[in-house]
């Protein structure tokens, strides 16, 4: 199925919007197809500030309707305790909020930006999406992440080369309680590293220390800049270590 055909069948839909590569392209495609698509961004402690900034910029450039919903996910014990399937409980809360707002606005069809590259077997959050009957047009159209990036570039979307980004909660080991302080520390650390020119990386919380994970192309540069890195992260962690395994994936 082509995206245009999908939106002919579903001409009015609510989109759970992250401001990332996939959801921005999906919004663009829906609007290009003439569909009435409203974007809902759910603001939680798990999203850094730049994600909302990107969501606002994208919808402004596309002339789309965006509503920001605030949700206190840390009030949910099943989310805060951070079990291995924490994403399931979090995603269910998020899309339930979207569903409620969408129903109020007269939207019965819910969409998300899952693409054909995403492996449902590795993502508990997809179970929640399935239970809430959220549709994934990119996946239905067989579009992979590489396809979405290529099409986004052709469309002139600024997000075409935006690095994949998993929420801040993924930086905290499963089984360790998630707190606002840990999330804020992570966000500040990652912003500091961005200011040094790094783009595709993670810094994991390790019992007070930070573990820096980089792509192979950035490892040598980070080591050469280790004094700058240490200075940027001083006061945020008890110590900083570098993972010598090359970073892969989106988590």
């Amino acid at each position: 199925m082509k995206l245009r055909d999908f939106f002919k069948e579903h001409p009015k839909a609510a989109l759970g919007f992250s401001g990332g590569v996939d959801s921005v392209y999906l919004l663009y495609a829906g609007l290009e197809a003439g569909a009435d698509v409203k974007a809902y961004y759910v603001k939680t402690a798990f999203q850094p500030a730049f994600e909302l900034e990107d969501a606002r910029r994208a919808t402004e450039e596309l002339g789309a309707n965006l509503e920001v919903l605030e949700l206190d996910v840390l009030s949910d014990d099943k989310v805060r305790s951070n079990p291995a399937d924490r994403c399931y409980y979090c995603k269910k809360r998020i899309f339930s909020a979207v569903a409620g707002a969408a129903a109020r606005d007269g939207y019965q069809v819910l969409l998300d930006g899952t693409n054909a590259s995403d492996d449902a077997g590795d993502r508990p959050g997809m179970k929640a999406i399935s239970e809430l009957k959220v549709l994934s047009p990119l996946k239905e159209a067989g579009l992979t992440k590489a396809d979405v990036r290529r099409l986004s570039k052709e469309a002139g979307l600024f997000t075409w080369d935006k690095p994949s980004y998993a929420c801040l909660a993924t930086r905290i080991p499963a089984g360790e309680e998630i707190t606002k302080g840990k999330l804020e520390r992570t966000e500040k650390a990652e912003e500091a590293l961005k200011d040094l020119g790094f783009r595709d990386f993670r810094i994991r919380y390790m019992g007070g220390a930070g573990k820096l994970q980089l792509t192979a192309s950035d490892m040598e540069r980070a080591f050469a800049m280790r004094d700058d890195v240490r200075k940027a992260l001083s006061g945020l962690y008890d110590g900083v270590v570098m993972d010598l395994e090359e970073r892969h994936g989106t988590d």
Side-chain angles (χ1 to χ4, degrees):
M1 174 182 283
K2 301 290 187 183
L3 281 181
R4 185 167 288 275
D5 295 330
F6 176 91
F7 284 110
K8 282 183 181 178
E9 290 185 17
H10 306 284
K12 183 173 182 176
L15 171 61
F17 193 69
S18 69
V21 182
D22 299 317
S23 65
V24 171
Y25 181 72
L26 182 57
L27 179 60
Y28 161 82
L31 297 176
E32 283 291 297
D36 174 4
V37 183
K38 181 173 179 179
Y40 294 85
Y41 181 97
V42 181
K43 184 176 182 293
T44 76
F46 290 177
Q47 279 76 42
F50 78 83
E51 290 281 52
L52 179 53
E53 292 169 4
D54 284 354
R56 284 180 167 143
R57 176 183 170 186
T59 50
E60 286 173 6
E61 291 184 0
L62 292 174
N65 192 0
L66 172 69
E67 182 171 345
V68 179
L69 307 172
E70 298 216 10
L71 181 64
D72 181 9
V73 289
L74 290 179
S75 66
D76 188 327
D77 290 341
K78 291 180 179 177
V79 174
R80 189 176 62 253
S81 62
N82 199 19
D85 60 348
R86 182 253 320 143
C87 190
Y88 167 80
Y89 300 106
C90 185
K91 192 74 76 174
K92 195 153 192 178
R93 288 286 304 275
I94 286 173
F95 271 90
S96 292
V98 172
R104 174 204 66 202
D105 295 337
Y107 295 88
Q108 302 302 317
V109 177
L110 301 181
L111 310 179
D112 88 318
T114 300
N115 65 60
S117 300
D118 293 324
D119 184 356
D122 290 340
R123 302 194 177 195
M126 290 188 184
K127 178 183 176 184
I129 288 173
S130 176
E131 290 177 354
L132 292 170
K133 303 188 186 310
V134 177
L135 303 181
S136 303
L138 298 176
K139 189 170 186 177
E140 291 187 29
L143 295 174
T144 65
K145 176 69 80 173
D147 292 329
V148 174
R149 289 192 184 281
R150 173 179 55 80
L151 292 167
S152 295
K153 186 176 184 180
E154 291 173 2
L157 302 175
F158 76 91
T159 49
W160 77 269
D161 66 342
K162 180 178 177 178
S164 297
Y165 192 86
C167 80
L168 295 170
T170 62
R171 315 301 194 269
I172 301 170
E176 180 171 339
E177 183 181 15
I178 301 173
T179 67
K180 187 176 180 181
K182 291 173 186 174
L183 296 171
E184 290 175 344
R185 182 182 305 178
T186 299
E187 182 174 3
K188 288 177 182 177
E190 295 195 346
E191 280 300 313
L193 290 170
K194 281 183 185 178
D195 289 343
L196 292 177
F198 296 99
R199 292 190 74 227
D200 192 359
F201 64 90
R202 297 287 185 265
I203 184 159
R204 310 285 183 185
Y205 187 84
M206 295 176 54
K211 181 172 73 171
L212 181 58
Q213 296 178 324
L214 299 158
T215 58
S217 60
D218 272 341
M219 281 188 187
E220 186 174 344
R221 187 164 71 92
F223 186 74
M225 296 174 61
R226 60 190 179 277
D227 289 339
D228 292 328
V229 170
R230 186 166 52 241
K231 182 178 179 181
L233 301 180
S234 64
L236 296 174
Y237 298 98
D238 297 335
V240 179
V241 297
M242 185 184 297
D243 190 340
L244 296 181
E245 293 290 335
E246 179 183 353
R247 192 184 107 69
H248 294 285
T250 59
D251 66 332

